[in-house]
Amino acid sequence: MFKRMQTLGWILILALTAPAQAQDALKAAIDAPQRTPEFVARDGYRHPYQTLTFFGIKPDMTVVELSPGAGWYTEILAPYLKDRGQLYAAHFDPDTKSEYFQKTRKAFIDKLKAQPEVYGKVAVTIFDPPKQVNIAPPGSADLVLTFRNVHNWYMRGGGQDKLDAAFKAMYVALKPGGTLGVVDHRLPADRPASAQEDSGYLHEAFVIAAAERAGFKLAATSEINANPKDTADHPNGVWSLLPSLRVDDAQKDKYKAIGESDRMTLKFIKPLTS
């Protein structure tokens, strides 16, 4: 009996300490020295610790990051998952005709190669919906993440078809019971849907509906990345704000004071049974 109680005690201790260790590891990844200083400067707007914690990330997960761009979140995810997990970075098609996409992907690959001790385990796949959607082996991912990308899939000539293909790819990659985390620029609900076409902002209900069409269930929403200063009616859309700041010099201080965009933060679950 004593040995059994002792064993149960150790199990309880491990159960209590594991979440704390995971939290410490996430904080360490966010504070890691290899992060780009310009990226670190955005932490106050992007809240990486609160956001990733809300999505339920753990260091032994298989995680897919969609359209990682220059690697803002990759710099956090890769070291966090390096020892016990797996990160798939679903980037632009290397055969794309877009010079910008080519340069962005090459810079990302060069970043990974420059620090194999940090990024050596990252698996780079291709994501170009609806043509290329094999972002990870089907049913392999515990968590799929996309940060400020949904508006691009909708705006870049694909419309709802491209959007639906993107969410379906996420659904296929996830295990039953797996989580999808979405962050994107939020258009106020009282603004017309036509404002979604070129502003970079989307209605929260529009994004939720797209995820639900793919089979996802909305699990929770958060105001972690909300910004009440953002009125979402700027001359150059969301790109008027930081970090793009595409405005006249005379207006830059005004837009710097707003900060980054108001953002929805949505957590979805792939049902255990379809």
Side-chain angles (χ1 to χ4, degrees):
M1 176 64 75
F2 174 74
K3 288 184 177 180
R4 182 172 179 272
M5 291 178 64
Q6 193 176 41
T7 301
L8 290 172
W10 277 112
I11 292 173
L12 179 61
I13 289 171
L14 289 172
L16 291 173
T17 56
Q21 290 173 348
Q23 290 170 358
D24 290 344
L26 182 55
K27 290 176 181 176
I30 292 168
D31 294 337
Q34 84 276 351
R35 290 191 66 204
T36 304
E38 290 81 4
F39 291 0
V40 175
R42 307 259 66 81
D43 284 3
Y45 301 116
R46 299 184 176 179
H47 315 102
Y49 179 79
Q50 296 91 330
T51 300
L52 292 172
T53 300
F54 174 70
F55 291 144
I57 196 168
K58 296 177 183 176
D60 59 351
M61 282 182 165
T62 294
V63 178
V64 180
E65 182 185 6
L66 287 179
S67 300
W72 197 96
Y73 260 100
T74 310
E75 290 188 354
I76 297 169
L77 295 169
Y80 180 70
L81 298 166
K82 177 171 65 73
D83 294 333
R84 298 168 55 198
Q86 175 63 55
L87 177 62
Y88 287 90
H91 216 297
F92 296 131
D93 184 348
D95 296 325
T96 177
K97 294 179 181 179
S98 167
E99 185 177 348
Y100 171 76
F101 288 178
Q102 290 175 0
K103 288 182 178 179
T104 302
R105 180 185 165 96
K106 183 181 183 302
F108 182 81
I109 297 296
D110 289 346
K111 175 198 286 285
L112 302 192
K113 290 180 177 178
Q115 291 185 282
E117 71 281 5
V118 178
Y119 303 111
K121 276 186 63 180
V122 178
V124 181
T125 56
I126 299 172
F127 185 58
D128 182 20
K131 296 181 296 181
Q132 302 257 30
V133 292
N134 296 319
I135 57 178
S140 66
D142 300 288
L143 177 64
V144 173
L145 298 169
T146 176
F147 302 99
R148 305 174 310 281
N149 290 309
V150 179
H151 66 282
N152 287 323
W153 305 330
Y154 179 68
M155 287 172 50
R156 287 177 179 156
Q160 187 167 305
D161 289 344
K162 187 170 185 176
L163 197 64
D164 287 348
F167 277 98
K168 197 62 181 179
M170 304 179 218
Y171 191 89
V172 170
L174 278 168
K175 299 174 181 178
T179 300
L180 166 64
V182 177
V183 177
D184 217 314
H185 314 296
R186 178 166 51 191
L187 185 69
D190 60 356
R191 296 280 300 283
S194 58
Q196 298 182 129
E197 301 301 322
D198 58 8
S199 69
Y201 292 92
L202 296 173
H203 284 141
E204 188 168 306
F206 177 82
V207 177
I208 292 171
E212 290 178 340
R213 283 196 301 274
F216 287 105
K217 302 297 182 184
L218 181 65
T221 65
S222 173
E223 293 300 298
I224 295 167
N225 295 298
N227 180 2
K229 295 180 181 179
D230 180 17
T231 56
D233 58 354
H234 316 301
N236 292 309
V238 72
W239 300 279
S240 299
L241 301 177
L242 292 168
S244 299
L245 215 59
R246 296 180 192 170
V247 292
D248 296 337
D249 288 345
Q251 293 183 301
K252 286 187 176 180
D253 286 343
K254 169 188 172 181
Y255 283 99
K256 285 180 181 178
I258 294 172
E260 295 196 11
S261 67
D262 176 58
R263 291 166 186 161
M264 64 186 91
T265 304
L266 310 174
K267 180 178 179 179
F268 300 91
I269 300 295
K270 177 178 179 177
L272 291 172
T273 56
S274 300

